[in-house]
Amino acid sequence: MTDPGPGVALDTVLGKAVALLRAFRVEDTVLPLAELVRRTGLPKGTAHRVAGDLVEHRLLDKTPHGYRLSGGLFELGMRAATERTLLELAMPFLQDLYERTHETVHLGVQEGSEVVYVAKIGGHRQARSPSRTGGRMPMHCTAIGKVLLAHAVHEVRDDVLGGELERRTPHTVVAPGLLRRQLSRVLETGIAHEREESTVGLLCIAAPVLDPDGRTALAAISVTGPVGRFRPDAHETALRAAATALASTLARRRGGALRTG
Amino acid sequence: MTDPGPGVALDTVLGKAVALLRAFRVEDTVLPLAELVRRTGLPKGTAHRVAGDLVEHRLLDKTPHGYRLSGGLFELGMRAATERTLLELAMPFLQDLYERTHETVHLGVQEGSEVVYVAKIGGHRQARSPSRTGGRMPMHCTAIGKVLLAHAVHEVRDDVLGGELERRTPHTVVAPGLLRRQLSRVLETGIAHEREESTVGLLCIAAPVLDPDGRTALAAISVTGPVGRFRPDAHETALRAAATALASTLARRRGGALRTG
DNA sequence: GACAGCGTACCGGTGAGTGGAACGCCGGCA
DNA sequence: TGCCGGCGTTCCACTCACCGGTACGCTGTC
């Protein structure tokens, strides 16, 4: 069901088109036709034609070296109501937080059993982190993920805790019991920690942006920095302030739908 | 040619799908099926089915009140190489600029004969501006637009200057001659001004992010603030610094393609 | 100079997609 | 209460858009 598998129904035109678009990973810039064929499994001729159609519709750009996701797609993506509303309302708070900490600040939401980063802001001295705006990360090894997981519905929590907890670094928590205990503490303290669990050399703390009901988390905010200079405790207050302030702003502007429910 | 018209070839499945997605304007959050039918001109049954397919492919969300652009589209859009690379490399400079000015900061690129905003960052006190990340604005009445227009190829410049210069406010420059003179000054000074030309009550200055060749502008950065407290001259230095610093960063990391050329 | 990998183009068969029509549901209005 | 317009949904037989195997020309590389 939730398993997207490698290919999503290639028997329909739309499926092929989406497969071509999704063939692009976050780190890709330009993919030649042959690579698209390899990744999607589409027949060469078909891929060629559909890609051409996508170019006409401004979803792909054609370059001498292959295809590239087009700016039209960027525009379209920025119209996604949930993410854009969240982003616009959150930006001032993220700015404040960045100014106070001068460390990388993230805003993330839960999507399925993973985290999607809606915003990432940082300066020149930012720690080298693998996260990207619009990118995904597992929940069990990131501070934002733990916060969201702690507040998630039982179904998702059990799903993640029951599934494989991928070891990303020597410090990744892969024991379900330990992780469950950490999640309990997150609910008590309102703060989640990550200590080199997704990337060696990186520390992170996160706080939830709670729904007015106080149980479900609409999003989470985090501050990340490198081992050595980064003192998590020093930023807790600012982080909490940002998260709760954003929460009450969201509660006020409850006009736009921020969740499917 | 560059006129997309209202509908883009509804005779193909892909065309219909794209039409449905593009039916969403920046300010829309949820659109009922009937509204989609109205905007696209598709037969009701068809719209229903295609929208359903789009939901399956995670490009649309279905809510009790209608359809909404899905988070999957946000993720996809953020993979658009040009915009994302630019955004990631620019963010630290935009942060610096914001910290120094505490006014709204924009990053924009030229797309056709319009401006597309790739980033917009601001704090709580930000001026109420109509711009949105991922949104479009005309070139003739915005500071970023004027900068890009001044450096654009003759074709585009003549196209814009020859076309209708929409009057957005009483201050909008709608005389081609005057505008052309302003553009010349932009080339001389390296700074473009906007004085309530797109929105009453708003001032803005912008500077180009130049290609190493020094002629074409890859993007533009601007600082915006409200009439009254906003002193354009006070921010010129910081703005120039940000723009040139970003330019040399881009020149260095010339790996990824930032233009079709 | 043979070859492998790529992008491109062609084209007849066919089944996925089409869209008109009809249904049931609601909420507004008289 | 009963009518009516607008909406979302479902159905189905026709047909034309799409499919993908095949073939071509181009480029680098052994």
Side-chain angles (χ1 to χ4, degrees):
Chain A
M1 263 302 154
T2 11
D3 169 47
V8 253
L10 296 177
D11 52 345
T12 150
V13 205
L14 214 62
K16 292 174 227 254
V18 172
L20 282 174
L21 295 178
R22 292 248 160 84
F24 288 81
R25 302 270 112 233
V26 201
E27 64 275 10
D28 299 317
T29 60
V30 167
L31 295 182
L33 182 63
E35 180 61 21
L36 287 174
V37 167
R38 240 171 274 124
R39 296 194 187 186
T40 58
L42 288 171
K44 206 196 331 187
T46 305
H48 180 58
R49 184 171 33 79
V50 177
D53 293 347
L54 286 171
V55 169
E56 276 186 16
H57 289 292
R58 297 195 353 97
L59 297 182
L60 282 184
D61 283 340
K62 182 160 193 154
T63 78
H65 306 297
Y67 295 90
R68 181 173 56 189
L69 293 180
S70 154
L73 206 55
F74 178 81
E75 291 180 51
L76 220 40
M78 271 302 175
R79 302 213 180 127
T82 316
E83 285 73 11
R84 202 210 48 225
T85 307
L86 182 61
L87 182 57
E88 287 180 354
L89 293 178
M91 192 56 85
F93 299 104
L94 302 181
Q95 288 301 325
D96 285 354
L97 188 53
Y98 172 74
E99 267 193 84
R100 280 182 206 159
T101 62
H102 282 100
E103 297 288 358
T104 305
V105 171
H106 284 114
L107 173 68
V109 298
Q110 179 196 333
E111 188 96 356
S113 57
E114 289 182 302
V115 174
V116 170
Y117 293 105
V118 174
K120 172 183 183 173
I121 68 182
H124 300 286
R125 293 260 155 184
Q126 68 185 264
R128 261 200 152 282
S129 94
S131 62
R132 302 250 195 153
T133 304
R136 286 171 172 261
M137 288 284 278
M139 302 192 82
H140 71 283
C141 63
T142 57
I144 285 194
K146 288 187 198 174
V147 163
L148 295 175
L149 196 56
H151 291 84
V153 294
H154 296 281
E155 200 180 28
V156 172
R157 200 155 63 231
D158 294 344
D159 190 31
V160 172
L161 284 163
E164 194 216 352
L165 299 174
E166 187 200 348
R167 159 154 269 141
R168 290 257 174 148
T169 77
H171 303 92
T172 308
V173 176
V174 293
L178 177 54
L179 185 53
R180 200 177 282 274
R181 255 170 283 138
Q182 288 194 354
L183 296 184
S184 302
R185 273 202 63 74
V186 170
L187 288 179
E188 290 166 23
T189 62
I191 293 273
H193 291 259
E194 182 219 323
R195 300 183 182 86
E196 304 188 78
E197 293 157 45
S198 67
T199 312
V200 172
L202 243 54
L203 302 180
C204 188
I205 57 172
V209 178
L210 294 173
D211 192 75
D213 70 9
R215 324 195 83 203
T216 47
L218 300 169
I221 301 180
S222 77
V223 180
T224 307
V227 172
R229 77 150 179 257
F230 190 74
R231 291 276 300 123
D233 302 350
H235 304 310
E236 268 201 30
T237 315
L239 177 61
R240 273 186 219 274
T244 58
L246 175 56
S248 47
T249 299
L250 292 183
R252 229 170 294 132
R253 299 223 196 169
R254 217 74 237 288
L258 273 183
R259 268 287 147 186
T260 324
Chain B
M1 261 305 152
T2 12
D3 169 45
V8 252
L10 296 177
D11 53 344
T12 149
V13 205
L14 214 62
K16 294 173 224 252
V18 172
L20 282 174
L21 296 178
R22 292 247 161 84
F24 288 80
R25 301 270 113 234
V26 201
E27 63 276 9
D28 299 318
T29 60
V30 166
L31 295 181
L33 182 62
E35 181 61 21
L36 288 173
V37 167
R38 239 171 276 125
R39 296 194 187 187
T40 58
L42 288 171
K44 205 188 343 180
T46 306
H48 181 57
R49 183 171 35 78
V50 177
D53 293 348
L54 286 172
V55 169
E56 277 186 14
H57 289 293
R58 298 197 350 97
L59 297 182
L60 282 184
D61 284 339
K62 182 161 194 155
T63 78
H65 306 296
Y67 296 90
R68 181 173 56 189
L69 293 180
S70 153
L73 206 55
F74 178 81
E75 291 180 52
L76 220 41
M78 271 303 173
R79 301 214 181 126
T82 316
E83 284 74 10
R84 201 209 48 224
T85 307
L86 182 60
L87 181 57
E88 287 180 355
L89 293 178
M91 192 56 86
F93 299 104
L94 301 182
Q95 289 300 325
D96 285 354
L97 188 54
Y98 172 75
E99 269 194 81
R100 279 181 207 162
T101 62
H102 281 101
E103 297 288 357
T104 305
V105 171
H106 285 114
L107 174 69
V109 297
Q110 178 196 335
E111 188 94 358
S113 57
E114 290 183 302
V115 174
V116 170
Y117 293 106
V118 175
K120 172 183 183 175
I121 68 183
H124 300 285
R125 294 259 155 182
Q126 67 186 267
R128 259 201 153 282
S129 94
S131 62
R132 303 250 195 150
T133 304
R136 283 170 173 262
M137 288 285 279
M139 302 191 83
H140 70 282
C141 63
T142 58
I144 286 194
K146 288 187 198 175
V147 164
L148 294 175
L149 195 55
H151 291 84
V153 293
H154 296 281
E155 199 180 29
V156 172
R157 200 156 64 231
D158 294 345
D159 191 32
V160 172
L161 285 164
E164 195 216 352
L165 298 175
E166 188 200 349
R167 160 152 270 141
R168 289 258 174 149
T169 77
H171 303 91
T172 308
V173 177
V174 294
L178 177 53
L179 185 54
R180 199 178 283 275
R181 257 169 283 137
Q182 288 194 354
L183 297 184
S184 300
R185 274 203 62 75
V186 170
L187 288 180
E188 291 166 21
T189 63
I191 292 273
H193 291 259
E194 182 220 324
R195 300 183 182 85
E196 305 189 76
E197 294 157 45
S198 68
T199 312
V200 172
L202 243 55
L203 302 179
C204 186
I205 56 172
V209 178
L210 294 173
D211 192 76
D213 69 10
R215 325 196 83 204
T216 48
L218 300 168
I221 301 180
S222 78
V223 180
T224 307
V227 172
R229 78 148 178 261
F230 190 73
R231 292 276 299 119
D233 301 350
H235 304 310
E236 268 199 27
T237 315
L239 177 60
R240 273 186 219 274
T244 57
L246 175 55
S248 50
T249 299
L250 291 183
R252 228 169 294 131
R253 299 223 196 168
R254 216 75 239 287
L258 274 183
R259 268 287 146 185
T260 324

